Amino acid sequence: MNSSIQIHFLGAAGTVTGSKYLIDTGKTKILIDCGLFQGLKELRLLNWAQLPVRASEIDFVLLTHGHLDHVGYIPRLVKQGFRGKIFGSAPTLEITEIILKDSGKIQEEEADRANRGGYSKHKPALPLYDLKEAVASLSYLLPIELDHWKDLADGVRARLKYNGHILGATFIELEVFGKLFVFSGDIGRPKDILLYPPNRPEQADYIFTESTYGDRIHPSDPETELLEILNETLKNDGTVILPSFAVERTQSLMYLLWKLKSMGKIPNVPMILDSPMGRNVFEVFQTHTKWHKLSSMECSRIWENFQKTESIKETYKLAEDRAPKIVIAGSGMATGGRVLTYLQYYLGDPNSTILLCGFQALGTRGRQLQDGNPEIKIYGKFYEVKAKVCSVEGLSSHADQREILEWLGNLKRKPEKVFIVHGEKGASDTLRVKLKDSLQFECEVPNLFDIIEIKL
């Protein structure tokens, strides 16, 4: 047995995207999550680079959940030679399939659009991976049950625990030669609209915790805030555009909008779901009812209240129609997807509202809108922002600082060390100070590509 193991921070260190943590025991290499970098160009360029470790030597990938910044790099990993096994919960793997197929298709479409529009410096512009490569990578996905230990190698086993956040999300307990490593993934909220409270770890020698909202507390009444924004915009005959993450956020918004409309609290305007991926994920919700609070009847009623688009032609037709409406469209940070079409039409409309309902990473269009940029670049052209831009942070599916502390507060003894990851530097450092002062935990905020050796 080796006397130490190495941890490689290959993503989501000093940033919220690109989650990848490699555990090298000397005999077995395990990658926790396999996400794409998003946002800043310097980060996105890392998606094109070879990993600083050999993909062919990685034995296993363990997935916490199915968001793009946790699974979107899988086709690239396979392209670089990975031939191991990828484990996750059944809903996570179903969502991963949806996410990867959609991502491959979008990569193809954006490369084609850049080549036709001539706005890429690359001649020709190429997709990071295409749909065929995304589909090929799915053969490595294998489901494992919640709460059951999975033996990976001699002295190495893993277990998934329910963690809220999105459908199928888990935190991972990885036992290596008697030491217990806990990887939080993205921590859900105790009072989530659709999901049950996350389980909390009871034992851990080393913890890797997210810190997306490590520096703030979410507002307590997001529904009232949402209602006020909707009614103000619709009263002015404007349109409300909700850039939305297709997984969980879209379903939460659909539930809230259905609820408000059923209670007569918002005008009877068309409610549109323009997200093929969001539609597919809703079907996963209907399949895995034990993972969330909605009944089959509620799912059906919500579904019936939304107009669904079938094609991009319908998207353009809806965007050109200036009648008041509420539109949910991907992507959540406005980095791509059909929401860009609506932004092209409505950014210049002072009566309309762009309503941001989730975390917006640095370098994304969503963050630029949130920060008040006067114009936004879409497909090589700048659009002046005259529409109202609002954020409702309380709708986030990420735990805030208080909820992260609560999640960590169930430990029966102090861990040897807590590594604070998946956050911008200010948020991570604020959480580090809070954990040290409140729980007397020894904490470290690693940098991207740090390698840390842990003695066994």
Side-chain angles (χ1 to χ4, degrees):
M1 183 183 81
N2 283 11
S3 59
S4 66
I5 66 171
Q6 287 187 336
I7 310 290
H8 298 246
F9 293 88
L10 303 178
T15 178
V16 295
T17 67
S19 288
K20 299 181 209 69
Y21 312 106
L22 183 77
I23 295 84
D24 183 355
T25 73
K27 291 184 177 180
T28 307
K29 292 183 173 68
I30 302 161
L31 190 65
I32 306 294
D33 282 336
C34 190
L36 274 187
F37 288 102
Q38 298 169 288
L40 294 171
K41 185 176 181 180
E42 65 198 63
L43 291 175
R44 287 185 281 114
L45 288 174
L46 295 174
N47 294 326
W48 293 87
Q50 288 284 116
L51 282 178
V53 296
R54 290 184 179 178
S56 59
E57 294 180 357
I58 298 173
D59 300 289
F60 303 100
V61 178
L62 304 179
L63 301 177
T64 59
H65 66 288
H67 272 148
L68 190 68
D69 62 323
H70 291 259
V71 304
Y73 194 79
I74 289 173
R76 291 286 293 174
L77 191 74
V78 172
K79 196 170 185 176
Q80 291 176 45
F82 173 79
R83 296 296 180 268
K85 296 176 180 178
I86 303 173
F87 294 116
S89 71
T92 287
L93 298 190
E94 290 180 37
I95 289 167
T96 296
E97 179 176 350
I98 294 167
I99 290 275
L100 292 184
K101 285 180 178 178
D102 184 77
S103 178
K105 186 178 178 182
I106 286 175
Q107 301 280 352
E108 284 184 21
E109 290 173 349
E110 290 188 348
D112 181 61
R113 187 181 287 110
N115 288 324
R116 286 187 284 107
Y119 57 82
S120 173
K121 67 178 182 180
H122 302 287
K123 308 296 181 185
L126 298 172
L128 181 64
Y129 52 82
D130 58 26
L131 178 58
K132 184 178 179 181
E133 290 169 326
V135 170
S137 71
L138 300 176
S139 62
Y140 299 93
L141 303 181
L142 295 166
I144 55 177
E145 290 184 39
L146 277 180
D147 304 322
H148 291 271
W149 285 105
K150 174 73 176 177
D151 291 325
L152 302 177
D154 287 343
V156 182
R157 61 180 186 164
R159 181 166 64 173
L160 305 182
K161 305 287 286 184
Y162 187 94
N163 208 25
H165 183 59
I166 69 168
L167 191 73
T170 62
F171 68 86
I172 294 172
E173 294 179 328
L174 181 67
E175 190 178 87
V176 182
F177 307 140
K179 291 285 187 180
L180 187 60
F181 298 79
V182 171
F183 296 85
S184 75
D186 290 353
I187 303 167
R189 307 190 62 194
K191 296 180 180 179
D192 190 272
I193 296 166
L194 300 183
L195 303 176
Y196 300 110
N199 285 345
R200 299 187 293 165
E202 296 181 1
Q203 304 281 350
D205 294 298
Y206 295 92
I207 295 177
F208 300 74
T209 182
E210 70 130 320
S211 56
T212 311
Y213 287 106
D215 59 348
R216 69 194 81 172
I217 305 298
H218 292 316
S220 59
D221 190 12
E223 192 172 319
T224 298
E225 192 177 354
L226 174 66
L227 179 61
E228 289 173 357
I229 294 167
L230 291 170
N231 279 329
E232 182 181 346
T233 304
L234 298 174
K235 184 179 70 176
N236 293 327
D237 291 329
T239 286
V240 180
I241 308 297
L242 295 113
S244 180
F245 303 98
V247 185
E248 209 274 330
R249 191 63 41 76
T250 287
Q251 294 74 40
S252 297
L253 287 170
M254 290 174 72
Y255 168 75
L256 282 173
L257 292 170
W258 165 71
K259 179 181 168 185
L260 292 173
K261 192 172 185 178
S262 299
M263 295 171 69
K265 291 188 174 183
I266 58 174
N268 186 24
V269 300
M271 300 195 301
I272 297 150
L273 174 63
D274 196 344
S275 171
M277 188 162 53
R279 294 176 59 178
N280 292 335
V281 172
F282 200 91
E283 292 175 6
V284 180
F285 260 78
Q286 291 173 304
T287 302
H288 294 281
T289 52
K290 291 182 180 179
W291 284 76
H292 61 80
K293 300 174 184 175
L294 292 179
S295 67
S296 297
M297 178 70 73
E298 285 173 318
C299 285
S300 297
R301 287 178 177 171
I302 293 166
W303 188 249
E304 291 165 1
N305 270 268
F306 281 82
Q307 178 181 334
K308 279 78 69 175
T309 58
E310 296 291 342
S311 68
I312 192 67
K313 284 185 178 179
E314 287 183 68
T315 298
Y316 278 105
K317 186 176 179 181
L318 286 165
E320 289 167 358
D321 180 2
R322 310 305 286 191
K325 54 190 170 293
I326 300 169
V327 181
I328 301 173
S331 65
M333 299 185 199
T335 53
R338 295 190 181 183
V339 75
L340 297 185
T341 301
Y342 292 99
L343 293 182
Q344 287 174 302
Y345 278 84
Y346 288 95
L347 280 175
D349 179 7
N351 291 325
S352 291
T353 297
I354 315 302
L355 182 50
L356 304 171
C357 298
F359 186 82
Q360 307 297 320
L362 278 170
T364 62
R365 291 187 187 90
R367 183 61 166 264
Q368 292 166 13
L369 287 166
Q370 194 174 58
D371 289 345
N373 282 29
E375 56 182 13
I376 301 294
K377 188 177 182 181
I378 302 174
Y379 301 140
K381 181 180 176 182
F382 284 94
Y383 292 83
E384 188 177 0
V385 180
K386 293 182 180 178
K388 189 175 181 180
V389 178
C390 300
S391 296
V392 182
E393 277 188 14
L395 292 174
S396 175
S397 59
H398 280 272
D400 63 15
Q401 184 192 87
R402 185 185 295 131
E403 292 161 344
I404 294 171
L405 262 67
E406 181 183 336
W407 188 80
L408 290 167
N410 201 40
L411 293 166
K412 293 179 179 177
R413 58 179 173 82
K414 281 198 293 186
E416 293 183 39
K417 184 172 280 190
V418 175
F419 296 98
I420 300 175
V421 294
H422 200 287
E424 291 174 3
K425 291 182 179 180
S428 295
D429 196 59
T430 299
L431 183 63
R432 176 189 65 79
V433 173
K434 190 71 176 178
L435 287 176
K436 184 179 179 182
D437 290 347
S438 300
L439 301 175
Q440 289 75 55
F441 286 174
E442 182 182 345
C443 300
E444 182 173 339
V445 181
N447 294 310
L448 192 58
F449 301 125
D450 277 357
I451 301 173
I452 292 174
E453 190 166 311
I454 292 179
K455 302 290 184 182
L456 297 175

